[in-house]
Amino acid sequence: MGKTLELMGELQSDDMQKRHWEELSNETKHDIKPEDPNFKFHDLFKLNLIHYTEKVSDIVEIAKNQTKIKKSLDKIKKQWDEKSFEWQEMAEKETYSLDKTEDIIDLVDQDLGNLLNMLGQKKYITYFEDLANSLTSDLRTINTLVSEFDKLQKNWNKLEPIFTQSADVKQNLAETSRKFDDMNGGFKALINEMRDQPTVKEACVVEGRKERVKELFTILDSCETELTA
């Protein structure tokens, strides 16, 4: 009697969802519907839970761990559904600079680590695996794009004054200067597009955007090579 009451107490957990009761129903060969207003304490008592001690404990453990995982996933999703970039205006250059990129990358790394840890808990993650995989994919995209954009922005900051203010460069490297001007226009257009997106995820998880950043970096890198040749 004492063990039966203990098992019944475990099953009162708020973590128990419909799927967990269905699993217990399959195990006990009884149709258990705790959401039914006619379901009584006596109905649970009649299940002879003492015969399913390990299964009950296993189901309750899974329910509790799934609740923890779901809360963690919801927290990560909410954070990246709301997280925005910080842009600093560069009035003299008629554009903006993406600020605190390291903070973004650190946050991505932290959440990716948590997601990979959750995905490793196969016993508990199955029900939420699609959401975890989707979040992991988005964060990897954000990580790559922000890292590449940061490199592009640093190189642009170094070379922009040379190509826009040096008369010698414009005269002696006319073709390279024209190439830089085209790249410069594309870079500023990209910044405007990213600033129009309200969140980091919306600014990064865009088809072809990673490739576009890499292409701009390649062009800028070739301008630097020709400048120093």
Side-chain angles (χ1 to χ4, degrees):
M1 175 66 73
K3 185 61 178 177
T4 298
L5 291 173
E6 180 184 332
L7 293 171
M8 292 172 67
E10 289 183 30
L11 290 171
Q12 299 307 306
S13 170
D14 291 338
D15 301 316
M16 290 288 290
Q17 303 296 317
K18 183 179 179 180
R19 62 183 179 276
H20 303 121
W21 289 109
E22 289 175 351
E23 186 177 351
L24 186 60
S25 294
N26 293 333
E27 183 70 21
T28 61
K29 305 299 189 292
H30 286 81
D31 190 17
I32 308 171
K33 295 182 177 179
E35 74 280 1
D36 188 333
N38 295 319
F39 186 81
K40 305 298 182 184
F41 178 89
H42 183 64
D43 296 314
L44 197 58
F45 188 78
K46 288 190 299 183
L47 297 177
N48 293 319
L49 293 176
I50 193 69
H51 299 302
Y52 309 99
T53 300
E54 290 187 10
K55 189 61 180 178
V56 169
S57 296
D58 188 50
I59 290 174
V60 172
E61 179 195 10
I62 288 173
K64 288 180 178 179
N65 280 284
Q66 284 184 339
T67 296
K68 291 177 183 178
I69 284 177
K70 183 60 165 60
K71 286 180 179 178
S72 295
L73 289 173
D74 287 345
K75 181 180 178 181
I76 292 173
K77 183 178 184 303
K78 184 176 186 295
Q79 175 168 254
W80 292 101
D81 282 345
E82 298 175 353
K83 184 71 176 176
S84 299
F85 279 132
E86 294 187 31
W87 298 92
Q88 296 295 325
E89 185 175 9
M90 304 172 71
E92 73 285 358
K93 300 180 186 294
E94 299 182 334
T95 189
Y96 291 79
S97 173
L98 180 56
D99 199 19
K100 298 184 179 178
T101 53
E102 291 182 0
D103 291 348
I104 295 289
I105 292 173
D106 286 345
L107 191 57
V108 167
D109 287 343
Q110 177 183 312
D111 284 344
L112 272 176
N114 290 332
L115 284 166
L116 293 175
N117 180 56
M118 284 184 261
L119 284 166
Q121 300 178 52
K122 294 298 183 182
K123 187 176 182 179
Y124 310 123
I125 191 64
T126 303
Y127 197 76
F128 309 110
E129 198 163 6
D130 287 346
L131 175 58
N133 282 327
S134 176
L135 289 170
T136 299
S137 177
D138 287 346
L139 290 183
R140 282 175 171 160
T141 297
I142 292 170
N143 187 59
T144 299
L145 192 138
V146 173
S147 297
E148 294 292 330
F149 187 93
D150 190 49
K151 289 196 303 181
L152 172 61
Q153 183 171 259
K154 286 176 179 175
N155 258 26
W156 179 85
N157 280 327
K158 178 175 64 175
L159 296 174
E160 191 272 346
I162 298 173
F163 280 102
T164 60
Q165 298 174 23
S166 173
D168 287 341
V169 169
K170 290 187 177 188
Q171 181 178 352
N172 298 323
L173 294 170
E175 186 60 33
T176 304
S177 293
R178 280 192 292 271
K179 184 162 61 172
F180 176 85
D181 288 342
D182 289 341
M183 193 282 323
N184 193 34
F187 180 53
K188 290 181 178 180
L190 173 63
I191 289 173
N192 288 335
E193 290 172 25
M194 291 176 67
R195 287 185 61 247
D196 283 340
Q197 303 296 334
T199 68
V200 171
K201 186 171 75 171
E202 289 175 286
C204 294
V205 186
V206 177
E207 186 176 356
R209 184 150 289 177
K210 287 190 298 183
E211 293 73 18
R212 188 173 168 192
V213 171
K214 289 180 180 179
E215 180 183 4
L216 288 169
F217 182 83
T218 298
I219 296 171
L220 185 60
D221 190 54
S222 70
C223 289
E224 183 175 19
T225 300
E226 293 167 19
L227 178 67
T228 56

